Structures are given as C-alpha cells and as structure tokens.
Amino acid sequence: MDILQIVTLGLVASLLFIILKDVNSTFAFFVIVITGIIIFISIIQQIGSIFQLIQTLGAKAQVDGMYLETILKIIGIAYIAELGANITKDAGLASVASKIELAGKIFILLLAVPIITAVIEAILRFLPAT
C-alpha cells in the first residue's frame, strides 16, 4: 500500500466516522480502530526494511549489537505508545492516553540507562584522573 492509498483510506474512514458518530458512536469508533490497524499492518514491511538498514549500518560501523537492539526497542516502544495513546484519545479518554505516554517514556528511560551509562563511562575515560 503506498502513501496515496493510506491517505485515501484515512480520509474515507474519517468521513465514515463523522457520518456514523451521531448514529452509532460505538461502530464509528471501531471504524477508526480498524482503519488504524489496517494502516499499521500495511506499513509493517517498511518498518522491517528500516530495522534491517539500521542493523546493516550498525554492523558496518562495528557498533555493539546490544546498543542497536536497545535503540530498536526504544523506537518500537515510542511508536506503540503513540499509537495506543492516539487510539485512546480518539475514544475521548485523554487521561488514559497521557498515562500510556508516561508509561512509554518510563520504559524508554529504563532501556536507555545502559546506553547513558556507557556514554558517561566513555567520557570519564577521556578525562584525566585526579
């Protein structure tokens, strides 16, 4: 599915939502959720290509695999948290959406600790010992 098809699907789903929200709000919400799932499934292949490119570049740069894996997990958490937060915002649950975003940030911070530690250790190696 290319970008024009995805945008067209999004526009059609938005129009359906506007039409159906007064008639049957539950069905209208499911139209939006299903549209989001279809769009996500259609871009999974591109996401896989991006992950392969990052791994290839990391291998060429001789970056430790643990760091690349952590970075890919962080990217995945960010997108999943954003998707979940947007769906809950569409349902009118902004407070739940903000909790999902907070949880995503906490998980990202937890995953980033080893990378931050490695960067600080590398900086300390360059500083003269006192």
Side-chain angles (χ1 to χ4, degrees), residues 73-110:
K73 284 180 183 179
I74 288 171
I75 292 169
I77 289 171
Y79 281 118
I80 290 169
E82 182 180 3
L83 178 65
N86 286 337
I87 289 172
T88 54
K89 283 179 188 174
D90 288 343
L93 302 169
S95 63
V96 175
S98 67
K99 303 312 182 280
I100 291 172
E101 290 171 343
L102 176 64
K105 291 173 185 176
I106 297 297
F107 281 109
I108 287 170
L109 186 60
L110 285 172

Side-chain angles (χ1 to χ4, degrees), residues 57-79:
L57 292 173
K60 286 181 181 178
Q62 298 177 353
V63 175
D64 187 0
M66 180 199 69
Y67 297 126
L68 284 177
E69 183 179 324
T70 302
I71 290 169
L72 292 176
K73 284 180 183 179
I74 288 171
I75 292 169
I77 289 171
Y79 281 118

